Amino acid sequence: MSGLTEVEVLWLEKRIENRIRFGRVVRERKLDCHRRVLSFAPGSIFSFVRWTSNDFGTIISRIDILRAVAPGERCSTVPYVRPGGEILLRLSGWPKVERVLQMTDAIEALGIDLADVAPDHWHHVHNHLSVNENPRPYTRARHQAWLHRKRVMR
């Protein structure tokens, strides 16, 4: 299974947590008791959450929603992601990360798999939260329109 996007996830209690919030993992490798490598197929969408703290509290909170790229396709570099990905959303700072996590919870509450959400929606959320505006919620109607558009575009 070559051409996969690999993401190294890491967990060190009360220090570092790099995890996948959503996405369809096609392969998993355990490196040691703290690290794993998760692989995603080209074109799949996943969310990567990074959090780091020190003795004084949280120093990094970041969320990236990425589309895994095919071999040779342009991509942006993201720490712990090889070769990189198409960035649909990239936000840092706990208030913004928390808003994205709340929005993902709301979409899941609609019964929609987050890996199937329209990529344009994540761009919309990124653009609005970057300037402290409220993004539109993702609805079932918008999701149905996205699924129809995907079928027509094939």
Side-chain angles (χ1 to χ4, degrees):
M1 297 181 89
S2 63
L4 299 176
T5 296
E6 296 184 329
V7 181
E8 184 178 323
V9 294
L10 169 65
W11 181 77
L12 297 172
E13 187 173 359
K14 297 182 182 179
R15 289 293 180 185
I16 300 172
E17 184 175 349
N18 294 348
R19 68 182 175 94
I20 298 297
R21 168 62 179 89
F22 66 83
R24 293 188 185 98
V25 175
V26 296
R27 186 170 65 188
E28 181 175 340
R29 271 184 308 147
K30 185 175 180 177
L31 301 177
D32 57 42
C33 63
H34 299 289
R35 297 178 309 142
R36 295 177 296 140
V37 174
L38 306 177
S39 300
F40 296 89
S44 64
I45 295 175
F46 62 94
S47 172
F48 184 41
V49 180
R50 292 182 284 150
W51 169 87
T52 305
S53 71
N54 62 19
D55 292 337
F56 303 103
T58 300
I59 55 175
I60 296 172
S61 294
R62 169 161 284 160
I63 186 166
D64 293 289
I65 298 179
L66 306 163
R67 186 185 64 79
V69 296
E73 193 174 354
R74 289 183 319 154
C75 65
S76 297
T77 58
V78 176
Y80 304 99
V81 179
R82 289 179 304 273
E86 176 187 349
I87 297 171
L88 305 176
L89 177 146
R90 172 174 260 187
L91 293 168
S92 59
W94 178 244
K96 291 177 182 177
V97 171
E98 183 179 34
R99 288 283 311 278
V100 174
L101 294 173
Q102 290 167 348
M103 295 180 82
T104 59
D105 290 344
I107 293 169
E108 279 184 323
L110 296 172
I112 297 170
D113 186 331
L114 293 165
D116 294 328
V117 168
D120 292 345
H121 177 69
W122 299 123
H123 285 293
H124 167 77
V125 171
H126 167 88
N127 291 337
H128 279 70
L129 290 181
S130 293
V131 294
N132 296 319
E133 290 186 5
N134 290 323
R136 288 185 310 273
Y138 195 72
T139 63
R140 282 191 182 105
R142 171 144 164 100
H143 188 63
Q144 290 305 315
W146 161 241
L147 295 176
H148 178 70
R149 184 172 130 205
K150 264 183 25 175
R151 278 191 302 274
V152 170
M153 299 284 287
R154 286 186 189 177

